[in-house]
Amino acid sequence: MAFVKFGFLVGNEVFHTALFDEDHPVAEKWIAALRSGVQLVDTAEYSKIRKGYFYNNGNFFGPEDESMSNPLSKTTPNYDETIVFAGVIDNEVIGLMSIVASETEPELYEMIKAGMLSDPTYAEVDEEVSAGWVFENGVFINPEG
Amino acid sequence: MFGSIAIFGSKGMVRVPSITGSLASTANSLIQGAGLKAVNSGTVDTNDSNLNGKVASQNPAANTLVNYETNVSYSLYNYVAPPPTCTPQWIFSYYGAWSDWSTCSGGTQSRSRAVYGYYQYSDCSTSGTQQYDTQTESQSCTPPAPCGGTVGQSCVISYSCATVGCSFCCPDFCYKSGTINSSCVCANPVGSYFC
């Protein structure tokens, strides 16, 4: 297995990382998507967003609505159980990433939720990079030395 | 008729002087001064340097009445340095190479190396160099995961969309990465899924 890692940042600080196995089809897709600048969109205002849906200008559309003329209805966002972000390339949802609250340490969940809702950026990083590292002068460094 | 009077020695009897502990020159003077003849009969070894050259014994004994010009023999102390003494012990020379670390068991592993040196005897002679001890050191370790993977090794799991947390992926399956823990579980403190 060969792994590729991406870090998610708010400002210059990594708050979350995701490790992808190049040999896994889902991971392979996400590696390509992240390297292509996939847009990560929060789906919390929607009851159900799946791969194949469409997104444009702040609205999601059903999988049959290629013309994106009928935006799906929105609900009150709820992050109590999950954080789900859609990966959007060329207005199409190519996949989903989620953080499950019940499987995540509470402090980590809050930190990741806050980061994901703060218009984060992401970058490919070395495998040793983890949450807390900072991007300075073109490199990721561990502030703890 | 008067009998003849035999006179033994023209100068009579003298007492042998005490010369034990005196230097040879002093002893000779005392003996000769008493009208006797000094005879050095040899030496007696001693480890006491203070006695070197002094009279160890005399014959006849001091104060003995003897005829004039009797021989008084004496022996002198001869200092001989005491034989060297050393503490019997092993003297370190060098270490052998460390062995490989043992298999991690109970959170601990160890390795050892030979210790070489020579033995010093009480008379300061020594033996040839040989192994006389073994040095061992231990360290904490992480036992291999029972499944054969390496604890801390990255791992991935595919979950069906029926798995809790993966329903958003249906009909596809979820992807989750983590690291192998000591229970052989691909674990991740973050329940992070992709599909």
Side-chain angles (χ1 to χ4, degrees), chain A residues 19 21 24 51 98 100 103-104, chain B residues 154 158 168 172 175 191 193 195:
Chain A
L19 191 67
D21 171 19
H24 194 285
K51 189 175 71 172
S98 78
V100 179
E103 298 181 22
T104 304
Chain B
S154 295
S158 289
F168 68 96
D172 298 329
Y175 161 94
Y193 297 89
C195 62

Side-chain angles (χ1 to χ4, degrees), chain B residues 115-138:
Chain B
V115 184
Y116 292 91
Y118 58 88
Y119 192 77
Q120 173 182 268
Y121 297 95
S122 60
D123 64 356
C124 301
S125 63
T126 60
S127 70
T129 302
Q130 57 191 285
Q131 181 181 353
Y132 69 91
D133 199 0
T134 300
Q135 185 182 57
T136 301
E137 66 176 14
S138 300

Side-chain angles (χ1 to χ4, degrees), chain A residues 39-54:
Chain A
Q39 183 181 8
L40 299 175
V41 183
D42 185 7
T43 68
E45 289 183 301
Y46 300 85
S47 59
K48 177 183 175 180
I49 300 298
R50 297 288 183 266
K51 189 175 71 172
Y53 281 43
F54 295 95

Side-chain angles (χ1 to χ4, degrees), chain A residues 1 3 16 18-21 24-27 29-30 50-51 84 95-100 103-105 108 112 127, chain B residues 154-158 163-170 172-178 188-195:
Chain A
M1 290 187 288
F3 289 92
H16 178 52
L19 191 67
F20 299 99
D21 171 19
H24 194 285
V26 171
K29 177 183 73 177
W30 272 96
R50 297 288 183 266
K51 189 175 71 172
V84 181
L96 297 160
M97 65 174 282
S98 78
I99 311 293
V100 179
E103 298 181 22
T104 304
E105 295 172 8
L108 279 179
I112 295 170
E127 202 164 327
Chain B
S154 295
C155 50
V156 301
I157 304 176
S158 289
T163 306
V164 172
C166 282
S167 59
F168 68 96
C169 286
C170 285
D172 298 329
F173 51 86
C174 277
Y175 161 94
K176 179 181 180 181
S177 69
N188 191 327
V190 179
S192 174
Y193 297 89
F194 290 83
C195 62

